[in-house]
Structure formats: C-alpha cells, structure tokens
Amino acid sequence: MEIKDYTLKNINNISVKFLNFGGIITEINIPDKNSNFENIVLNYPEKKDYFYDKFYMGALIGRYANRIANGTLVLNKKIYNLENNENGNHLHGGTISFHNKIWSIEKNNSTNNSIFLSYYSKHLENGYPGNLKVKVIYTLTDDNYFHIEIHAKSDMDTVFNPTSHSYFNLNPKIKSILNHNLKLDANRYVEINDNFLPTGKLIDVNSTEFDFLNGKKIKQNFITRNKQIQIAKGFDHCFVLNRKNNNSNVVLSEINSGRKINIYTDQPGVQVYTGNHLSGKFETNQGICLETQHFPDSPNNPGFPSTFLKANKEYYTKTSYKFGLVNFN
C-alpha cells in the first residue's frame, strides 16, 4: 500500500500532518507570539527516511509503549515471549509494530476535522496474545485542541499500553529543548535501573531534580550527580500524574517563541524523554517526548496500575494537546 499524507486544519490555520505509515505525525504547525507559523515536532525531510528511523519519530506506539523486562509476559499463568529488541528487553511493541505498519484511513463523514486510523494486530504478533483491533482518532478543533483517542478490543485476554511519540520543539530554530519550561503535575516518578527498567519504587520528587510541580527550565537539571539522570543522560523517566479536576497534567512552554502546549490525559503516567540519544539528522536534546501512558514493565510489577485488557472488553484512552501562547502579563 502506498504511503500517503493527510492534513487536518482549523479556522486558525493551525494544521496537523501525518502519514498512514505508523500514524506518524510529521508536522504540527502553530503560530508564535508574532503570529509566525512553524512546525513544532521533529521530522524527516522525506517519507523514505521513516523506513530507517530508529527513534520512533512521531509514531503511534504499541502494543506496549516503553519496556517489558526480558520480553517476558505472564498472563493467566501462561508465559508469552515477546520480541527482545533492546538489550534483551522488549521496547515499544517490537521492531515491526504499530510505528511502522500501514494503517487504514477513513475520514469522518460528519466533520472535516477528524480522521480515523485502524490496524488489525494478529494473535501472537511480536508474541502478544489475542487478535487486537485498534482504532485511533485524530481530531483538530477550532479552539486549538488536538485530540488523540485510541479504541481497541482483543478476542483474548492481553495487555495493552499505547502512546504517541512526537518530539516537540517549540522554538525549532534553536535545536535544543533545554531552554524550554516544563511543568508536571506529578509528585512521584518511576525509579529505573541501569537497563532503564523500573526498580518497582515510586520516588517522591520533593527536593530532587525531578520536581517540576511549579515549572522550571529543563536545563536546570542536566548538570547533576543524580544517578537517575546519569543513567539516562538526561530524563527518560515515567512521572506518576496526579489526578486533579480538569487541570492539564503537563505544560510545555518556550519564552522566546511564546508558544505553549497544555496536555490533558486520562493515563496514569507520562514518560518524559529529553532526546538524550538523538543523532544523525538530529541533535542531542533537539526534541522532547511527552508520552502519556501506563508505567513501564507494568505486567511484571503488580503494584503498578494494570495494563490488563480482558477479552472482548472495549479499551479507550484520550490525550489532548491545547496549543496556545504564554501569558506575558
């Protein structure tokens, strides 16, 4: 099937462009404080470049975002062996998965600002049990919200933990996000070991480099002796989101461009990855991923929120991005 481009555009000329290949978001064009439009997500210059991408650039991730230790999943007392595609562990659903499959595309006939993507993941694809039907809805509203909704159903008990993997840079002329301001409604984060796998401990952010409760520049925490940051060469950690009314869970902003994104999600966590291993066509720390999801290796950590999806039960999650400007008053 041919790789095709699709575009959503609202009355304010904000646009979201994506491919049917991996549901990859290639552009999000929004204005700065001077009404100049720029693309705020990292991308490749040509479609063919995505065939060789190793950074999951802008893609839908599944069946399981993040890592599963030793590629081992125990479900209903049966062991399932997943593909080990990162140092003996399972990462982002496998080498060939949601991020590099062709998705079927269907426009919503009732509105011009919404497009449906669907994919059928067969039983034991990359080791996962169950035939899984997935539908993703991308919607761009006239009040500058971009919604990503994910529906799924499996014919067997399975696990499911999808996400979207865009790298944001709100001032793309500057090829670094270290001067961006990040605010996280999160009092705890998931501690990792040397293999980027959770230790099972949820660590309080108070008086640590991981405290983004009041917002601060990302670069403020990069020169540190904190072992967690040294392991990841920056941030590559899942933050445990608080659940407070309808407040945004994550706020990313950049003072020079004046751009701001508020992120709202029903997920229990957000993986903050500061592009520590970007290379080649990209520079280290050129973009930041804010992946709303469940915790890494949840199937092997009973104390974490469950990613279990019961057979024939409807799965649904929604994450919304509100594009706006910093209030300079």
Side-chain angles (χ1 to χ4, degrees), residues 172-310:
K173 293 187 185 70
I174 307 299
K175 294 186 176 182
S176 172
I177 47 80
L178 295 183
N179 210 40
H180 283 44
N181 196 79
L182 180 64
K183 183 178 181 181
L184 299 173
D185 186 19
N187 288 93
R188 295 175 296 166
Y189 72 93
V190 179
E191 184 183 63
I192 59 173
N193 62 22
D194 289 342
N195 291 318
F196 296 85
L197 292 166
T199 64
K201 295 179 181 178
L202 304 180
I203 306 299
D204 195 309
V205 304
N206 186 43
S207 300
T208 76
E209 291 87 343
F210 289 79
D211 185 352
F212 289 92
L213 284 163
N214 296 313
K216 60 186 176 183
K217 287 188 177 180
I218 297 168
K219 69 179 182 182
Q220 193 170 326
N221 302 112
F222 260 63
I223 301 175
T224 176
R225 294 184 178 180
N226 184 297
K227 185 180 178 182
Q228 287 291 295
I229 294 177
Q230 289 182 343
I231 288 171
K233 295 182 171 59
F235 292 98
D236 191 359
H237 296 79
C238 187
F239 285 77
V240 181
L241 294 173
N242 302 323
R243 314 253 47 106
K244 292 182 182 176
N245 303 320
N246 293 317
N247 293 341
S248 58
N249 305 106
V250 180
V251 183
L252 182 70
S253 60
E254 201 278 332
I255 196 70
N256 292 308
S257 68
R259 295 186 177 101
K260 180 176 71 169
I261 304 176
N262 288 68
I263 302 177
Y264 305 79
T265 188
D266 56 12
Q267 291 289 296
V270 59
Q271 183 82 9
V272 175
Y273 173 52
T274 47
N276 315 317
H277 303 288
L278 288 173
S279 61
K281 295 179 183 293
F282 306 102
E283 295 185 15
T284 304
N285 308 127
Q286 187 175 344
I288 181 171
C289 294
L290 300 165
E291 310 159 47
T292 57
Q293 58 183 258
H294 274 62
F295 305 167
D297 201 28
S298 289
N300 296 311
N301 286 272
F304 288 178
S306 177
T307 53
F308 176 72
L309 178 60
K310 189 172 178 59

